[in-house]
Amino acid sequence: MPQMVPSKDIVAGFSQNVTQFAFQSNLSQKNTIDIYSLDPSNNYNINSSLVNQVEYEGNDLKASELFFIGWCTSPEENPTTKTKRTQSDENRVTKSEDFFVNGFPDGKVVVFSSTGKQIVNIIQNKKQILHIDTENEFVWVLDSEFTVKKIPYTQNKPLKSFQLIDGRDEEITSFRVLPRQKKNVYLALSTKEVLFIVDPTNSKPRTVLKLEVTNCNNCKLLYQNGEKLVVTTDDSVLIFSVPNGELIQEWKLRVEKLRIFKDIVLTLNTQGTINAMKVGNDQNLSEIEIPQSQVIDFIPLDDILLVAWLNVNEPNFKVISLERINNDQRIVIDDLHVDTEAQKLDGKINHQHDDVNQEPKHEKKKVSRAEQDELSQSLINFLEKSDLDGVLKTLSSQNWTEQRIKSFVVFHVNNYATTRLIFEVISSNFQREVWNKESSLAEWLRWLLTLRGDSIDSKHLKKNTKQLRSSLKSSGESLSTLVGIQGRLELLRKQAQLREHLANLNVAEDDDKVEKMNHENAAVMVDGEDQDDSIQFVNGESDTYVDAQEKVN
C-alpha cells in the first residue's frame, strides 16, 4: 500500500497482491528496508530465511531521503491463443508480480523487483516531484510545475500528462489515486482548506467535486462506482455523496490509516487500534486491538482482514474474518504466541528474584487499554502545546508499559522538535532522580536513545547530553560501592535472621525440658507413697479408705 514518509521513520506497507510486506522500524538510522515474503498457505507466518533487504547504499541512494514508498503490479496475463496446448496449460493464469516503488525529492522514482534486490526501472522527472501514488501498473506523479503524469512502471515516457487548474495557486498537501470501475480512476488533491476530486479519464480533465474540508489527509471511495467518498481529517472521519457533495456521516476520530472493506470503513487510530464502521451507524461496528502491541498496517482480502502488528522490531501477522468483524463488537488479539512466551519467561525471572531476596512481592497495578490510550493522548496534547510540566507529569506516570513506551516513540516521536522536547524534559529531571523507581523516566530515556539516537545527536542537545552523561557517570561509579554495601547489609540481615532462629530453637528446647520435668514430678507425686501433708480435704473427704462392706458389718 502507498505510504508517504515525510518525517516518520517507520515503513510498513503491503504489496498490491499481498505477497510482500515492506518494513523498517528506524529508517533514519538504517540504510535498508526489509521485504518479507507472505505465504497464505502458512497462515502468513514469517520465515526469517525468506526476508530480503533493499540495499540503498550499493545503488548510491539514501533511505533517509525517501518521501514515498508504494507498490505496482504487472498486468495479469491470461493466454487465449489457439495454439496447441496440453490440458494442464489451458486453465493456467500467469500470476502478476509486485514491484517496490521508491520516490525521491530530486525527481527520481526507482522501481525495484519484488525482493528489492534488482532495480527494474528509474524514472527521472525533469522537475522536482511533490507527490506520488501508485495504481495497478502505473505510477502517478505531481511535480513542482503542477503537472500530473501517469507513467507505466517499466517506462520513462508518460502515458498521460496534464496541468492542474484547481489548486495550482496553493500548496497541495495530499495527492491520491482513487480506483473506480473498469480501470477508471479519480484523483483527489487537497489543500489546507479544500479537497478537489478530479476525473482525468477524458482528454480534458474536469473537477467533479469541490469540498471545503480542513486538513484532509486521506480519502477513498466507499464504493467503486464513485457514489460515496470517505475523507479523514485531523480529528474526524467524514462520508460525502460524490454527486452533490452532501455530508452523509461523521465520526469524531483521530486517524492515521484508512481502508475500505466491502461496505465497512476501517481506520487505524493514533493509539494503534482498528475501528470498523458502517454508514448509518453512529457507533463502532467493531474494534480490533492488540493489548501488548500496536497495529502497524492492515489490508482487506476477499473475506478476511490481514493485520500486521509490531513484535518488538519485527512485523507479525494475524488473520481476522469478515464475519467476526460484523458480529463481534470488540476483538482482542490476545493469543499471540511470542508475547505469551515472553510474559511467561518474565514471570519466571521475577519469581526467582523474589525467592532469592525473600521480600514481599509487589505486583504492578494492571492498567487497562483505555487508560493507556488516555495517557498517550494526554502526552500528545501536552507535546502539541509544548507544556513542559504536563509532559513531565505524564512521562513520569507509572501507568506506562514498556511496549506502550516503545510504540509511542515509534509512532509519535517522529520529528526533531518532538524528540528534542521529550529529551530535554527527561534529561533535566532524570539526573536529579536517577534512583527513583517510582518514575518511568528511565524507561523513556532507554527507548528514546535506542530508537531516536540520531535526532538526539545534535549540537543543540550537547549540553543536556553532557550533563546527563556526568550524572549517570557519577551514579555508575557509586553503583559498585552501593552494591558492596547492599551485600554487607544483606549478610548482616541473614545473620540476624539466623541468630533469631537459633535463639527461638534454644527457647523452644528449654521450654520442652521444663515441661518434661514438670510431667515427671507430677507422676512421682501421684504414684509415690510420700505425699504432701499440706493437702486439704473438703466436704468430708479423707485419705482413709473404708470398705463399704466392713462398715455394714
Side-chain angles (χ1 to χ4, degrees), residues 198-214:
V198 177
D199 184 356
T201 306
N202 300 324
S203 56
K204 186 178 180 180
R206 64 184 182 92
T207 300
V208 297
L209 184 63
K210 179 180 178 181
L211 298 171
E212 294 185 0
V213 178
T214 303

Side-chain angles (χ1 to χ4, degrees), residues 3 5 9-13 21-35 52-71 99-106 108-122:
Q3 177 185 350
V5 195
D9 278 346
I10 188 168
V11 169
F21 185 77
F23 177 78
Q24 180 55 266
S25 61
N26 199 355
L27 191 63
S28 63
Q29 293 186 1
K30 298 178 181 179
N31 204 26
T32 60
I33 290 180
D34 295 329
I35 305 293
N52 296 293
Q53 277 193 339
V54 183
E55 297 284 352
Y56 292 95
E57 187 173 358
N59 295 300
D60 295 327
L61 300 170
K62 291 183 179 180
S64 58
E65 295 179 353
L66 273 171
F67 77 95
F68 172 86
I69 69 157
W71 295 86
F99 296 90
F100 190 44
V101 180
N102 288 201
F104 296 87
D106 59 355
K108 182 185 297 182
V109 179
V110 181
V111 183
F112 291 90
S113 62
S114 58
T115 61
K117 291 187 176 297
Q118 295 88 30
I119 292 180
V120 175
N121 188 28
I122 296 179

